[in-house]
Amino acid sequence: MVLRRIGGRSRLAALAAATALFLGPALVGCGDDNGGTPSETTPVVPPAPTTAAEPADPAAAKAEITKNWTAFFDPKTPTADKVKLLENGEQMQPVLAALGSNPNAATTSVKVTGIAFTSATGADVTYDLLVSGAPALPDSKGTSVLQDDTWKVSVKTLCGLVQLSGATVPGC
């Protein structure tokens, strides 16, 4: 992971606020025009099918997300393996190559501290970004996506960290 500089608390607070706005679920209120009482002339329409709020086996999915995030941000994991752990990893190889060549990446890792599913194929991930084992960005927010039957770090998360580092990397 590239981290040329780490901003102060105000920059972290701004990042957290922007992340919450960007990643937070949109809440939309719905109501009817007749004060909540059904109309005798209004046809009853069955609700549309909803997507599952979590995978069929949430415990297994959480374990895989934690394992894959830890491996993705582990400096010892080869780039070829990281490609398989990143959403659209094949297209993001130039970004991964640039990150792998940065000396700061050798001391950066993550500790996943929370996972909340947003759907059967998506999850919000809370993690601590560690530099030399010490929290540099605690309680960071990211996302994981199920792609090709594998829970992966989202491109949005990786590019957000790249932008925070101040680096300019093609593809982000």
Side-chain angles (χ1 to χ4, degrees):
M1 181 55 24
V2 174
L3 283 176
R4 284 192 207 148
R5 65 174 190 213
I6 298 176
R9 289 281 181 203
S10 61
R11 185 170 179 170
L12 178 58
L15 173 66
T19 301
L21 289 173
F22 189 70
L23 300 178
L27 300 176
V28 179
C30 297
D32 59 21
D33 293 333
N34 57 3
T37 57
S39 167
E40 292 181 42
T41 59
T42 304
V44 176
V45 178
T50 58
T51 58
E54 59 184 29
D57 187 348
K62 284 182 178 183
E64 183 180 350
I65 290 168
T66 300
K67 178 181 140 252
N68 290 350
W69 273 60
T70 301
F72 179 81
F73 287 100
D74 184 338
K76 296 176 190 133
T77 301
T79 300
D81 292 342
K82 290 183 181 198
V83 165
K84 298 172 189 170
L85 300 174
L86 178 64
E87 175 188 22
N88 302 327
E90 292 293 328
Q91 293 99 344
M92 298 300 292
Q93 278 184 324
V95 174
L96 292 173
L99 295 175
S101 66
N102 186 291
N104 291 327
T107 62
T108 304
S109 61
V110 300
K111 178 183 177 188
V112 174
T113 58
I115 299 168
F117 293 103
T118 56
S119 70
T121 60
D124 290 334
V125 179
T126 303
Y127 63 98
D128 295 339
L129 186 70
L130 309 172
V131 176
S132 297
L137 292 175
D139 297 322
S140 296
K141 306 291 183 196
T143 56
S144 188
V145 296
L146 183 64
Q147 185 181 58
D148 301 326
D149 295 321
T150 301
W151 283 97
K152 300 180 179 188
V153 174
S154 71
V155 168
K156 180 173 34 178
T157 298
L158 178 63
C159 288
L161 288 169
V162 168
Q163 289 173 343
L164 179 63
S165 75
T168 303
V169 179
C172 279

